[in-house]
Short mmCIF file of all heavy atoms in Angstrom, two decimals:
data_model
loop_
_atom_site.label_atom_id
_atom_site.label_comp_id
_atom_site.label_asym_id
_atom_site.label_seq_id
_atom_site.Cartn_x
_atom_site.Cartn_y
_atom_site.Cartn_z
N GLY A 341 138.10 -28.57 14.86
CA GLY A 341 137.61 -28.55 16.23
C GLY A 341 137.73 -29.90 16.92
O GLY A 341 138.22 -30.88 16.34
N PRO A 342 137.24 -29.99 18.15
CA PRO A 342 137.44 -31.21 18.96
C PRO A 342 136.71 -32.44 18.44
O PRO A 342 137.06 -33.57 18.80
CB PRO A 342 136.90 -30.79 20.34
CG PRO A 342 135.93 -29.68 20.05
CD PRO A 342 136.51 -28.94 18.89
N ASP A 343 135.68 -32.26 17.61
CA ASP A 343 134.91 -33.41 17.13
C ASP A 343 135.44 -33.99 15.82
O ASP A 343 134.90 -34.96 15.30
CB ASP A 343 133.44 -33.01 16.93
CG ASP A 343 132.76 -32.65 18.24
OD1 ASP A 343 133.13 -33.23 19.28
OD2 ASP A 343 131.87 -31.78 18.23
N ARG A 344 136.51 -33.42 15.29
CA ARG A 344 137.08 -33.94 14.04
C ARG A 344 137.79 -35.26 14.32
O ARG A 344 138.68 -35.32 15.15
CB ARG A 344 138.06 -32.94 13.46
CG ARG A 344 138.67 -33.36 12.11
CD ARG A 344 139.70 -32.36 11.65
NE ARG A 344 140.38 -32.77 10.43
CZ ARG A 344 140.02 -32.39 9.20
NH1 ARG A 344 138.98 -31.59 9.04
NH2 ARG A 344 140.69 -32.82 8.14
N PRO A 345 137.40 -36.34 13.62
CA PRO A 345 138.06 -37.63 13.86
C PRO A 345 139.52 -37.59 13.43
O PRO A 345 139.88 -36.98 12.43
CB PRO A 345 137.25 -38.61 13.00
CG PRO A 345 136.59 -37.77 11.96
CD PRO A 345 136.33 -36.44 12.60
N ALA A 346 140.36 -38.27 14.20
CA ALA A 346 141.80 -38.28 13.92
C ALA A 346 142.19 -39.40 12.97
O ALA A 346 143.31 -39.41 12.43
CB ALA A 346 142.58 -38.43 15.22
N GLY A 347 141.27 -40.34 12.73
CA GLY A 347 141.56 -41.47 11.86
C GLY A 347 140.30 -42.24 11.58
O GLY A 347 139.21 -41.89 12.05
N PRO A 348 140.40 -43.32 10.82
CA PRO A 348 139.21 -44.10 10.48
C PRO A 348 138.68 -44.87 11.67
O PRO A 348 139.42 -45.23 12.59
CB PRO A 348 139.72 -45.04 9.38
CG PRO A 348 141.18 -45.18 9.64
CD PRO A 348 141.61 -43.84 10.17
N SER A 349 137.40 -45.13 11.64
CA SER A 349 136.77 -45.94 12.67
C SER A 349 137.25 -47.39 12.59
O SER A 349 137.63 -47.88 11.52
CB SER A 349 135.25 -45.88 12.49
OG SER A 349 134.59 -46.82 13.32
N SER A 350 137.23 -48.06 13.71
CA SER A 350 137.58 -49.49 13.73
C SER A 350 136.36 -50.38 13.59
O SER A 350 136.47 -51.60 13.56
CB SER A 350 138.32 -49.82 15.04
OG SER A 350 137.49 -49.53 16.16
N SER A 351 135.17 -49.76 13.47
CA SER A 351 133.95 -50.54 13.40
C SER A 351 133.84 -51.29 12.07
O SER A 351 134.26 -50.80 11.02
CB SER A 351 132.74 -49.62 13.56
OG SER A 351 131.52 -50.35 13.40
N THR A 352 133.26 -52.48 12.12
CA THR A 352 133.00 -53.25 10.90
C THR A 352 131.57 -53.05 10.41
O THR A 352 131.21 -53.58 9.36
CB THR A 352 133.26 -54.74 11.14
OG1 THR A 352 132.43 -55.20 12.23
CG2 THR A 352 134.72 -54.99 11.49
N ASP A 353 130.78 -52.30 11.17
CA ASP A 353 129.43 -51.96 10.72
C ASP A 353 129.54 -50.77 9.77
O ASP A 353 130.08 -49.72 10.14
CB ASP A 353 128.55 -51.61 11.91
CG ASP A 353 127.18 -51.11 11.47
OD1 ASP A 353 126.37 -51.94 11.04
OD2 ASP A 353 126.95 -49.88 11.52
N PRO A 354 129.04 -50.88 8.54
CA PRO A 354 129.25 -49.81 7.55
C PRO A 354 128.71 -48.45 7.98
O PRO A 354 129.37 -47.43 7.76
CB PRO A 354 128.50 -50.33 6.31
CG PRO A 354 128.44 -51.80 6.48
CD PRO A 354 128.35 -52.04 7.96
N VAL A 355 127.54 -48.42 8.58
CA VAL A 355 126.95 -47.14 8.99
C VAL A 355 127.78 -46.50 10.09
O VAL A 355 128.13 -45.31 10.03
CB VAL A 355 125.50 -47.34 9.45
CG1 VAL A 355 124.93 -46.02 9.98
CG2 VAL A 355 124.64 -47.86 8.30
N THR A 356 128.14 -47.29 11.09
CA THR A 356 128.97 -46.78 12.18
C THR A 356 130.33 -46.36 11.68
O THR A 356 130.87 -45.32 12.08
CB THR A 356 129.11 -47.85 13.28
OG1 THR A 356 127.83 -48.24 13.75
CG2 THR A 356 129.95 -47.33 14.44
N PHE A 357 130.91 -47.15 10.78
CA PHE A 357 132.22 -46.82 10.23
C PHE A 357 132.22 -45.45 9.58
O PHE A 357 133.10 -44.61 9.84
CB PHE A 357 132.65 -47.88 9.22
CG PHE A 357 133.92 -47.54 8.49
CD1 PHE A 357 135.15 -47.81 9.07
CD2 PHE A 357 133.89 -46.89 7.26
CE1 PHE A 357 136.34 -47.47 8.41
CE2 PHE A 357 135.06 -46.56 6.60
CZ PHE A 357 136.28 -46.84 7.18
N VAL A 358 131.22 -45.18 8.74
CA VAL A 358 131.17 -43.89 8.05
C VAL A 358 130.93 -42.76 9.03
O VAL A 358 131.60 -41.71 8.98
CB VAL A 358 130.10 -43.91 6.94
CG1 VAL A 358 129.85 -42.50 6.41
CG2 VAL A 358 130.52 -44.84 5.82
N ASP A 359 129.99 -42.94 9.94
CA ASP A 359 129.66 -41.86 10.87
C ASP A 359 130.82 -41.52 11.79
O ASP A 359 130.98 -40.36 12.19
CB ASP A 359 128.42 -42.24 11.70
CG ASP A 359 127.14 -42.13 10.89
OD1 ASP A 359 127.16 -41.48 9.83
OD2 ASP A 359 126.12 -42.69 11.31
N GLU A 360 131.62 -42.51 12.15
CA GLU A 360 132.75 -42.25 13.04
C GLU A 360 134.01 -41.81 12.29
O GLU A 360 134.94 -41.28 12.91
CB GLU A 360 133.07 -43.51 13.86
CG GLU A 360 132.00 -43.85 14.89
CD GLU A 360 132.34 -45.07 15.73
OE1 GLU A 360 133.34 -45.77 15.41
OE2 GLU A 360 131.63 -45.33 16.72
N SER A 361 134.02 -41.98 10.97
CA SER A 361 135.21 -41.64 10.19
C SER A 361 135.10 -40.30 9.49
O SER A 361 136.13 -39.66 9.21
CB SER A 361 135.46 -42.72 9.13
OG SER A 361 135.67 -43.99 9.71
N ARG A 362 133.89 -39.87 9.16
CA ARG A 362 133.75 -38.68 8.32
C ARG A 362 134.00 -37.39 9.10
O ARG A 362 133.59 -37.25 10.26
CB ARG A 362 132.37 -38.65 7.67
CG ARG A 362 131.18 -38.64 8.61
CD ARG A 362 129.89 -38.74 7.80
NE ARG A 362 128.70 -38.95 8.60
CZ ARG A 362 127.90 -37.99 9.03
NH1 ARG A 362 128.19 -36.72 8.76
NH2 ARG A 362 126.82 -38.27 9.75
N ILE A 363 134.67 -36.44 8.43
CA ILE A 363 134.91 -35.14 9.05
C ILE A 363 133.72 -34.21 8.87
O ILE A 363 133.49 -33.33 9.71
CB ILE A 363 136.20 -34.48 8.50
CG1 ILE A 363 136.11 -34.24 6.99
CG2 ILE A 363 137.42 -35.31 8.85
CD1 ILE A 363 137.21 -33.38 6.44
N ASP A 364 132.98 -34.35 7.78
CA ASP A 364 131.77 -33.55 7.55
C ASP A 364 130.71 -34.03 8.54
O ASP A 364 130.23 -35.16 8.47
CB ASP A 364 131.29 -33.75 6.11
CG ASP A 364 130.15 -32.82 5.72
OD1 ASP A 364 129.42 -32.35 6.62
OD2 ASP A 364 129.98 -32.56 4.52
N GLN A 365 130.34 -33.15 9.47
CA GLN A 365 129.50 -33.55 10.59
C GLN A 365 128.01 -33.26 10.40
O GLN A 365 127.22 -33.39 11.34
CB GLN A 365 130.01 -32.87 11.86
CG GLN A 365 131.42 -33.28 12.22
CD GLN A 365 132.06 -32.34 13.24
OE1 GLN A 365 131.36 -31.67 14.00
NE2 GLN A 365 133.38 -32.29 13.24
N ARG A 366 127.60 -32.90 9.19
CA ARG A 366 126.19 -32.62 8.96
C ARG A 366 125.35 -33.90 9.09
O ARG A 366 125.84 -35.00 8.91
CB ARG A 366 126.01 -32.01 7.57
CG ARG A 366 126.53 -30.60 7.45
CD ARG A 366 126.38 -30.08 6.03
NE ARG A 366 127.24 -30.79 5.08
CZ ARG A 366 127.23 -30.57 3.77
NH1 ARG A 366 126.39 -29.69 3.25
NH2 ARG A 366 128.05 -31.24 2.99
N HIS A 367 124.06 -33.71 9.34
CA HIS A 367 123.15 -34.85 9.37
C HIS A 367 122.95 -35.42 7.96
O HIS A 367 122.72 -36.62 7.82
CB HIS A 367 121.79 -34.44 9.95
CG HIS A 367 121.85 -33.98 11.36
ND1 HIS A 367 122.23 -34.81 12.40
CD2 HIS A 367 121.58 -32.78 11.93
CE1 HIS A 367 122.19 -34.14 13.54
NE2 HIS A 367 121.80 -32.91 13.28
N ASN A 368 123.04 -34.55 6.96
CA ASN A 368 122.84 -34.96 5.57
C ASN A 368 123.54 -33.96 4.66
O ASN A 368 123.62 -32.77 4.99
CB ASN A 368 121.33 -35.01 5.26
CG ASN A 368 121.04 -35.47 3.84
OD1 ASN A 368 120.98 -34.66 2.91
ND2 ASN A 368 120.86 -36.77 3.66
N LYS A 369 124.03 -34.41 3.51
CA LYS A 369 124.74 -33.52 2.60
C LYS A 369 123.83 -32.48 1.97
O LYS A 369 124.30 -31.51 1.39
CB LYS A 369 125.42 -34.33 1.49
CG LYS A 369 126.57 -35.19 1.99
CD LYS A 369 127.22 -35.97 0.85
CE LYS A 369 128.36 -36.84 1.37
NZ LYS A 369 129.01 -37.59 0.27
N GLY A 370 122.51 -32.67 2.09
CA GLY A 370 121.57 -31.69 1.59
C GLY A 370 121.33 -30.53 2.54
O GLY A 370 120.63 -29.58 2.19
N ASN A 371 121.90 -30.57 3.72
CA ASN A 371 121.73 -29.48 4.69
C ASN A 371 122.65 -28.32 4.32
O ASN A 371 123.86 -28.49 4.23
CB ASN A 371 122.04 -29.97 6.10
CG ASN A 371 120.97 -30.89 6.65
OD1 ASN A 371 119.94 -31.09 6.04
ND2 ASN A 371 121.23 -31.47 7.82
N TRP A 372 122.07 -27.15 4.14
CA TRP A 372 122.84 -26.03 3.59
C TRP A 372 122.78 -24.76 4.44
O TRP A 372 123.50 -23.80 4.16
CB TRP A 372 122.29 -25.66 2.20
CG TRP A 372 120.80 -25.41 2.19
CD1 TRP A 372 119.83 -26.32 1.93
CD2 TRP A 372 120.13 -24.18 2.47
NE1 TRP A 372 118.58 -25.74 2.02
CE2 TRP A 372 118.74 -24.42 2.36
CE3 TRP A 372 120.57 -22.89 2.81
CZ2 TRP A 372 117.78 -23.43 2.57
CZ3 TRP A 372 119.61 -21.91 3.02
CH2 TRP A 372 118.24 -22.18 2.91
N CYS A 373 121.93 -24.73 5.46
CA CYS A 373 121.71 -23.46 6.16
C CYS A 373 122.42 -23.41 7.51
O CYS A 373 122.12 -24.20 8.41
CB CYS A 373 120.20 -23.24 6.35
SG CYS A 373 119.80 -21.56 6.88
N ASN A 374 123.39 -22.50 7.64
CA ASN A 374 124.01 -22.17 8.93
C ASN A 374 124.36 -23.42 9.74
O ASN A 374 123.95 -23.55 10.89
CB ASN A 374 123.08 -21.27 9.75
CG ASN A 374 122.74 -19.97 9.07
OD1 ASN A 374 123.57 -19.39 8.38
ND2 ASN A 374 121.52 -19.50 9.25
N GLN A 375 125.14 -24.32 9.18
CA GLN A 375 125.38 -25.60 9.83
C GLN A 375 126.18 -25.48 11.12
O GLN A 375 127.29 -24.93 11.13
CB GLN A 375 126.06 -26.54 8.85
CG GLN A 375 125.19 -26.93 7.68
CD GLN A 375 123.92 -27.65 8.11
OE1 GLN A 375 123.97 -28.82 8.48
NE2 GLN A 375 122.79 -26.95 8.08
N ALA A 376 125.60 -25.99 12.20
CA ALA A 376 126.26 -25.97 13.50
C ALA A 376 127.49 -26.87 13.46
O ALA A 376 127.46 -27.96 12.88
CB ALA A 376 125.30 -26.42 14.59
N GLY A 377 128.58 -26.41 14.06
CA GLY A 377 129.80 -27.20 14.13
C GLY A 377 130.76 -26.99 12.98
O GLY A 377 131.85 -27.57 12.97
N ALA A 378 130.39 -26.17 12.00
CA ALA A 378 131.25 -25.95 10.84
C ALA A 378 132.45 -25.09 11.22
O ALA A 378 132.46 -24.39 12.24
CB ALA A 378 130.47 -25.29 9.71
N GLY A 379 133.46 -25.11 10.36
CA GLY A 379 134.66 -24.30 10.57
C GLY A 379 135.19 -23.75 9.27
O GLY A 379 134.86 -24.25 8.18
N LEU A 380 135.99 -22.73 9.35
CA LEU A 380 136.68 -22.20 8.18
C LEU A 380 137.48 -23.31 7.52
O LEU A 380 138.08 -24.15 8.21
CB LEU A 380 137.63 -21.07 8.57
CG LEU A 380 137.04 -19.85 9.27
CD1 LEU A 380 138.18 -18.97 9.78
CD2 LEU A 380 136.13 -19.08 8.34
N GLY A 381 137.51 -23.32 6.19
CA GLY A 381 138.30 -24.31 5.47
C GLY A 381 139.64 -23.75 5.05
O GLY A 381 140.17 -22.80 5.65
N GLU A 382 140.21 -24.35 4.03
CA GLU A 382 141.50 -23.90 3.52
C GLU A 382 141.44 -22.41 3.19
O GLU A 382 140.46 -21.92 2.66
CB GLU A 382 141.88 -24.67 2.25
CG GLU A 382 142.20 -26.14 2.48
CD GLU A 382 143.60 -26.36 3.03
OE1 GLU A 382 144.39 -25.39 3.06
OE2 GLU A 382 143.90 -27.51 3.43
N ARG A 383 142.50 -21.69 3.54
CA ARG A 383 142.57 -20.29 3.16
C ARG A 383 142.64 -20.20 1.64
O ARG A 383 143.10 -21.14 0.98
CB ARG A 383 143.81 -19.62 3.76
CG ARG A 383 144.06 -19.78 5.26
CD ARG A 383 142.92 -19.38 6.18
NE ARG A 383 142.20 -20.53 6.66
CZ ARG A 383 142.51 -21.26 7.75
NH1 ARG A 383 143.55 -20.93 8.47
NH2 ARG A 383 141.75 -22.28 8.10
N PRO A 384 142.20 -19.10 1.07
CA PRO A 384 142.29 -18.96 -0.39
C PRO A 384 143.70 -19.31 -0.90
O PRO A 384 144.70 -18.80 -0.40
CB PRO A 384 141.95 -17.48 -0.60
CG PRO A 384 140.96 -17.19 0.50
CD PRO A 384 141.49 -17.95 1.68
N THR A 385 143.73 -20.19 -1.89
CA THR A 385 144.98 -20.77 -2.38
C THR A 385 144.95 -20.86 -3.90
O THR A 385 143.93 -21.25 -4.48
CB THR A 385 145.18 -22.19 -1.80
OG1 THR A 385 145.08 -22.14 -0.37
CG2 THR A 385 146.52 -22.77 -2.20
N VAL A 386 146.04 -20.53 -4.55
CA VAL A 386 146.12 -20.57 -6.00
C VAL A 386 146.58 -21.94 -6.48
O VAL A 386 147.53 -22.51 -5.93
CB VAL A 386 147.09 -19.49 -6.52
CG1 VAL A 386 147.20 -19.55 -8.04
CG2 VAL A 386 146.66 -18.11 -6.07
N ALA A 387 145.87 -22.48 -7.49
CA ALA A 387 146.24 -23.72 -8.18
C ALA A 387 146.60 -24.85 -7.22
O ALA A 387 147.70 -25.42 -7.31
CB ALA A 387 147.39 -23.45 -9.16
N PRO A 388 145.70 -25.22 -6.31
CA PRO A 388 146.03 -26.26 -5.32
C PRO A 388 146.06 -27.66 -5.90
O PRO A 388 146.71 -28.55 -5.35
CB PRO A 388 144.91 -26.13 -4.30
CG PRO A 388 143.74 -25.63 -5.10
CD PRO A 388 144.34 -24.70 -6.12
N GLU A 389 145.32 -27.88 -7.00
CA GLU A 389 145.24 -29.19 -7.65
C GLU A 389 145.17 -28.97 -9.15
O GLU A 389 144.79 -27.90 -9.63
CB GLU A 389 143.99 -29.96 -7.19
CG GLU A 389 143.88 -30.21 -5.71
CD GLU A 389 144.69 -31.40 -5.25
OE1 GLU A 389 145.10 -32.21 -6.12
OE2 GLU A 389 144.92 -31.54 -4.03
#
Side-chain angles (χ1 to χ4, degrees):
D343 295 328
R344 183 184 176 94
S349 170
S350 60
S351 176
T352 57
D353 174 74
V355 175
T356 303
F357 174 83
V358 169
D359 285 343
E360 291 182 351
S361 300
R362 59 185 171 94
I363 60 169
D364 188 336
Q365 298 165 24
R366 289 177 292 176
H367 297 296
N368 182 271
K369 292 180 181 181
N371 288 354
W372 53 267
C373 193
N374 300 325
Q375 294 300 285
L380 301 171
E382 291 281 350
R383 309 306 101 87
T385 306
V386 179
E389 301 279 344

